[in-house]
Amino acid sequence: MITDIALVTGLVMVVLSIPAIFSAFSEGRAPRVAAVLLVVGGGMVVWAMHGKPGGIRLEEIPAAVVRVVAMVLN
């Protein structure tokens, strides 16, 4: 379950860093916070994929997201 939480959190961080990178470049400033967010989120995804025995397949990601959302809502 910890790997699911890390996977979902990392994916959210990576997805949120993309608009932040574009915003920083469009305003002419360095995307420092967005880059840190991208690296930390990517690290969490890699850790989650290596932390689960057998790894995480692409087909398992939606189920992991549903499990984490259900856990947060309960």
Side-chain angles (χ1 to χ4, degrees):
M1 190 59 150
I2 288 290
T3 56
D4 289 346
I5 295 169
L7 176 71
V8 173
T9 305
L11 287 174
V12 168
M13 292 172 102
V14 168
V15 168
L16 290 178
S17 72
I18 295 170
I21 290 171
F22 286 129
S23 174
F25 280 133
S26 70
E27 294 175 1
R29 54 186 172 84
R32 290 182 186 96
V33 174
V36 170
L37 194 63
L38 183 68
V39 170
V40 171
M44 290 180 76
V45 170
V46 169
W47 178 78
M49 289 187 165
H50 288 286
K52 184 176 179 184
I56 296 175
R57 293 189 323 239
L58 196 59
E59 301 87 31
E60 297 174 358
I61 293 175
V65 171
V66 169
R67 282 192 299 268
V68 171
V69 169
M71 184 185 69
V72 169
L73 293 178
N74 281 331

